[in-house]
C-alpha cells in the first residue's frame, strides 16, 4: 500500500476524493437496491448450508470494494466426511 | 481480561473518532492487542478513519442479532496485526443495539483483546449510554471552548451514574483529553486555558492534542495519525497519551511553544 507516500508529499485530498467516490457509490446503491455483494454473500452461504452444516468458525468472508471491480472472497472449509442432510441433493 | 475504554464527549465534532483510531493504533504498536468498536449506528465513520471502509462485511448489529459471529465481523488492520476494527451498522434502526446484546459482545471482546476502545456517538441518548455502559475507564474528549466543556460535565455525571460499574458501587476511571488545542489562540486569550478546563472539570489530564492539519491528512488517507505520521504534533501527543494509559508516567508537554504555558503545565500529574 502506498498510503504513507501521501504524508510526505502533501496533497492527500485526491486520495480522500477517490476513497469517498468508491464508498459512496456503494452506499447510495445499497440504499436504493440491495447491495449486490451482500446478496451474493447471503445466497452463496445459503446454498452451501443446504448441503452441509456450516460451522461459522470455518467460514471466512472478506470484501474489497473497488473501482472498477470489487472482490468477494468466501473461504469455506468443507470436511471430507460430512452428513448429507436426508432431504439433500443428488 | 482486557480493559474496556469509552471515548466520549457529549458534543459532536470534538475528536472522538480521531482519538479512538489514534489511541488504538498507538496501543497496538506496543504489541498489545486492540479492538476499536464503532458505536455510531447509522453514521459510522471509524472505518473511514481507519482506512477499512472497503472491507466491511458484517457489523456490530449483525453480531448482536446473531447474523454473524464476532470473528466474522472483526476486520484486522492491514498495517498492524494487533489492531482490529468492529464497524458500526449503517442501518437507521438504532434500537437494534440492545443493552443485553452489547453486553455479550463486550464480554467476548474483553476475553480476546487487551484493549477494547468504544467510540461513542455524540449526544447523551441511548447510543452514548450503551457505548459507556460496560466501560472500566473513560476518555472524555473536550475542546477548550465553553459548550464542549459544559457537555463534558454532563457526560462525567452520566459516567458516574449510568455505567454498570457505577451502578455496582464502583468508580469508573476518568481521563480528560483536550483536543484541537490551538496554543496561539489560547495565548491571545481567545480560548479557555488548559488550567481553566481542568479546574472546571476536575478530572485528571491524559493529554493535550494540538489543532493540526496532520489530522485532516491522516483521515484523508485512512491512516490513524499515530500510524501514518507519528512524529507530527498530534501523533506524538497521542503516543504519549497511550503510554499514560498503560500506566507510564510521562511528563506533560504543551503541544506548541508559547512561553508560560509549558512552565505552568510542567510537573502537572498525568492521569
Ligand atoms: N487535533 C485536531 N486538529 C485538527 N482537526 C481535528 C483534530 N481532531 C479532530 N479534528 C477534525 O475534527 C473533525 C471531527 O473529528 P471527529 O474525530 O470525527 O469528532 P467526533 O468523533 O467527536 O465527532 C474532523 O474533521 C477531524 O478531522
Ligand atoms: Mg465520531
Amino acid at each position: 500500500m502506498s498510503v504513507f507516500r501521501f504524508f510526505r508529499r502533501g496533497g492527500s485530498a485526491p486520495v480522500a476524493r477517490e476513497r469517498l467516490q468508491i464508498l459512496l457509490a456503494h452506499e447510495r446503491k445499497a440504499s436504493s437496491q440491495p447491495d449486490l455483494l451482500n446478496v451474493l454473500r447471503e445466497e452463496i452461504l445459503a446454498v452451501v448450508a443446504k448441503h452441509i452444516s456450516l460451522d461459522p468458525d470455518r467460514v471466512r468472508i472478506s470484501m474489497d470494494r473497488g473501482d472498477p471491480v470489487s472482490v468477494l472472497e468466501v473461504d469455506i472449509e468443507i470436511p471430507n466426511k460430512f452428513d448429507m442432510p436426508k432431504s439433500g441433493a443428488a | 481480561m482486557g480493559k474496556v475504554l469509552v471515548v466520549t464527549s457529549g458534543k459532536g465534532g470534538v475528536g472522538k473518532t480521531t482519538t479512538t483510531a489514534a489511541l488504538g493504533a498507538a496501543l497496538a504498536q506496543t504489541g498489545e492487542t486492540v479492538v476499536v468498536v464503532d458505536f455510531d449506528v447509522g453514521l459510522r465513520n471509524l472505518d473511514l478513519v481507519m482506512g477499512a471502509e472497503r472491507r466491511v462485511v458484517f457489523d456490530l448489529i449483525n453480531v448482536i442479532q446473531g447474523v454473524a459471529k464476532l470473528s466474522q465481523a472483526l476486520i484486522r488492520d492491514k498495517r498492524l496485526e494487533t489492531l482490529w476494527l468492529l464497524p458500526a451498522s449503517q442501518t437507521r434502526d438504532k434500537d437494534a443495539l440492545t443493552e443485553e446484546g452489547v453486553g455479550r459482545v463486550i464480554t467476548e471482546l474483553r476475553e480476546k483483546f487487551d484493549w477494547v476502545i468504544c467510540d461513542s456517538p455524540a449526544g447523551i441518548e441511548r447510543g452514548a449510554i450503551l457505548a459507556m455502559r460496560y466501560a472500566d475507564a473513560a476518555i472524555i474528549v473536550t475542546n477548550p471552548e465553553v459548550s464542549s466543556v459544559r457537555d463534558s460535565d454532563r457526560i462525567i455525571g452520566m459516567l458516574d451514574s449510568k455505567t454498570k460499574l457505577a451502578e455496582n458501587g464502583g468508580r469508573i476511571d476518568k481521563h480528560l483529553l483536550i483536543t484541537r488545542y490551538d496554543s496561539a489562540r489560547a495565548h491571545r486569550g481567545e480560548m479557555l486555558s488548559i488550567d481553566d478546563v481542568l479546574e472546571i472539570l476536575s478530572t485528571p489530564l491524559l493529554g493535550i492534542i494540538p489543532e493540526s492539519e496532520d489530522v485532516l491528512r491522516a483521515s484523508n488517507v485512512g491512516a490513524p495519525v499515530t500510524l501514518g505520521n507519528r512524529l507530527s504534533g498530534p501523533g506524538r501527543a497521542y503516543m504519549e497519551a497511550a503510554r499514560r494509559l498503560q500506566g507510564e508516567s510521562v511528563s506533560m508537554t504543551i503541544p506548541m511553544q508559547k512561553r508560560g504555558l509549558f512552565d505552568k503545565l510542567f510537573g502537572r500529574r498525568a492521569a
Side-chain angles (χ1 to χ4, degrees):
Chain A
M1 287 273 278
S2 54
V3 152
F4 299 101
R5 196 179 68 210
F6 295 99
F7 278 106
R8 269 178 261 125
R9 277 211 199 139
S12 58
V15 189
R17 204 184 109 211
E18 192 187 313
R19 292 175 63 216
L20 275 174
Q21 277 171 338
I22 291 170
L23 179 66
L24 295 184
H26 283 281
E27 288 196 343
R28 286 179 188 145
K29 223 185 291 163
S31 57
S32 57
Q33 66 185 74
D35 173 23
L36 177 61
L37 230 49
N38 278 311
V39 171
L40 288 175
R41 167 175 61 79
E42 273 167 32
E43 293 192 3
I44 289 168
L45 290 180
V47 166
V48 178
K50 218 170 80 184
H51 295 279
I52 59 170
S53 73
L54 271 186
D55 176 353
D57 286 327
R58 296 178 184 280
V59 179
R60 277 176 303 275
I61 306 170
S62 70
M63 284 187 199
D64 192 352
R65 298 177 189 279
D67 188 21
V69 291
S70 295
V71 177
L72 170 66
E73 258 175 34
V74 182
D75 185 341
I76 305 170
E77 283 179 35
I78 298 172
N80 290 328
K81 290 184 192 137
F82 59 86
D83 298 324
M84 264 296 209
K86 288 191 193 77
S87 58
Chain B
M1 280 277 269
K3 193 162 182 177
V4 181
L5 287 179
V6 61
V7 177
T8 186
S9 70
K11 193 169 158 64
V14 295
K16 290 180 293 299
T17 299
T18 303
T19 297
T20 302
L23 289 179
L27 289 167
Q29 282 174 70
T30 70
E32 294 196 278
T33 53
V34 179
V35 60
V36 291
V37 186
D38 193 344
F39 272 83
D40 210 340
V41 173
L43 288 173
R44 78 164 168 234
N45 268 328
L46 188 55
D47 56 335
L48 259 176
V49 175
M50 300 280 296
E53 73 280 359
R54 303 199 308 186
R55 300 169 59 210
V56 174
V57 186
F58 295 111
D59 56 55
L60 175 59
I61 287 181
N62 292 149
V63 177
I64 287 178
Q65 294 181 333
V67 172
K69 291 199 61 165
L70 182 58
S71 57
Q72 295 173 326
L74 288 168
I75 303 171
R76 187 183 218 146
D77 191 89
K78 285 206 163 153
R79 301 147 296 200
L80 264 179
E81 61 170 19
T82 44
L83 181 60
W84 300 72
L85 163 71
L86 181 55
S89 158
Q90 280 296 57
T91 163
R92 263 149 258 145
D93 180 16
K94 292 203 169 128
D95 293 335
L97 221 53
T98 62
E99 180 175 339
E100 180 272 330
V102 170
R104 255 186 299 125
V105 173
I106 296 284
T107 303
E108 212 178 324
L109 290 173
R110 203 197 270 282
E111 281 161 14
K112 291 197 165 91
F113 294 93
D114 297 319
W115 297 91
V116 180
I117 310 182
C118 305
D119 182 19
S120 176
I124 51 166
E125 311 298 324
R126 191 183 154 75
I129 294 175
L130 284 174
M132 68 169 66
R133 185 70 186 150
Y134 299 94
D136 306 308
I139 295 172
I140 299 130
V141 178
T142 305
N143 297 160
E145 165 269 309
V146 286
S147 60
S148 173
V149 173
R150 178 202 201 174
D151 288 0
S152 293
D153 193 61
R154 283 273 311 267
I155 282 289
I156 290 170
M158 288 173 52
L159 287 164
D160 287 330
S161 60
K162 307 259 187 205
T163 54
K164 202 89 190 169
L165 193 60
E167 277 178 12
N168 293 338
R171 272 195 63 198
I172 187 160
D173 251 339
K174 293 187 287 287
H175 307 272
L176 188 69
L177 187 71
I178 298 180
T179 62
R180 312 205 64 168
Y181 180 76
D182 184 333
S183 68
R185 293 186 59 201
H187 196 61
R188 293 195 298 269
E190 294 167 12
M191 256 181 2
L192 286 171
S193 74
I194 305 280
D195 281 324
D196 294 337
V197 178
L198 287 176
E199 194 190 316
I200 296 166
L201 295 177
S202 54
T203 299
L205 185 62
L206 181 67
I208 305 161
I209 314 298
E211 168 81 20
S212 159
E213 49 188 53
D214 290 309
V215 171
L216 178 66
R217 254 196 302 271
S219 74
N220 276 348
V221 300
V225 68
T226 47
L227 198 53
N229 195 358
R230 75 185 99 163
L231 296 181
S232 63
R236 281 173 200 266
Y238 276 122
M239 292 298 269
E240 286 182 9
R243 284 165 61 198
R244 292 186 192 105
L245 277 177
Q246 290 176 312
E248 230 182 286
S249 121
V250 184
S251 69
M252 193 73 67
T253 47
I254 195 81
M256 300 266 272
Q257 61 298 89
K258 294 291 179 237
R259 258 189 314 118
L261 281 165
F262 179 86
D263 296 336
K264 269 199 209 166
L265 280 158
F266 189 73
R268 185 183 295 290
R269 302 223 13 226

